[in-house]
Amino acid sequence: ATFPVHSPHTGELASTAAASSRDDCHAAIEAAQRAFPAWEQKPFATRREILLRAATTLQSEEWQRKAAPAMRAEIAMTQAQINFNFFAGTQLLQGIACMVNELRGETLPSVVPGGQVFIQRRAQGVIYSVVPWNAPVPLVLTSVAVPLVCGNTSWFVPPYTSSLVVDALHDVRE
């Protein structure tokens, strides 16, 4: 099922968006749960490379030509706001991809004589988020990329224009 998305500026039909049922939501969560064990085991370098490929996609003129009209029509963004979304989204995604270098354990002294404490950081599973509409590119990327780089899977409710961001992430899958 779908529903119409109207321009807040003109009131005209801008696009249609997917309308999810309760069963669709359960299926999405279950798919993320099934994907989690394999994704958590991916090498850090693989996770980083996937996110960097997504950043390259977002920088491409081809993707930006598709995304700009949707942002303009669906949420009445000015060209300056669109440019901010493109620049901030790409920079943010590159930065998050490099966070993989921070994912490591630590060894600390223990209160037990002769003992040591080892802290191991592990992914938590499926991370859920709801993304507001006002900066669709950087906000979607923050909601999705941070959990992914940390080894989690993600399930989120995006703003309407974010289907283009999701498509960019799908395009770079292994």
Side-chain angles (χ1 to χ4, degrees), residues 140-160:
V140 166
L141 294 174
T142 300
S143 297
V144 174
V146 172
L148 290 177
V149 80
C150 293
N152 298 290
T153 53
S154 182
W155 181 68
F156 70 103
V157 178
Y160 314 129

Side-chain angles (χ1 to χ4, degrees), residues 15-18 63 67 70 74 136 140 156 158-171:
S15 66
T16 56
W63 184 83
E74 293 180 12
V140 166
F156 70 103
Y160 314 129
T161 54
S162 296
S163 64
L164 294 165
V165 179
V166 174
D167 289 346
L169 293 172
H170 279 229
D171 290 346

Side-chain angles (χ1 to χ4, degrees), residues 72-103:
R72 201 172 287 113
E74 293 180 12
I75 52 181
M77 278 193 166
T78 65
Q79 189 60 46
Q81 291 169 314
I82 291 168
N83 292 342
F84 166 78
N85 270 263
F86 293 160
F87 177 77
T90 301
Q91 296 298 308
L92 184 68
L93 193 50
Q94 291 168 339
I96 291 169
C98 293
M99 285 174 50
V100 76
N101 298 327
E102 303 300 319
L103 300 174

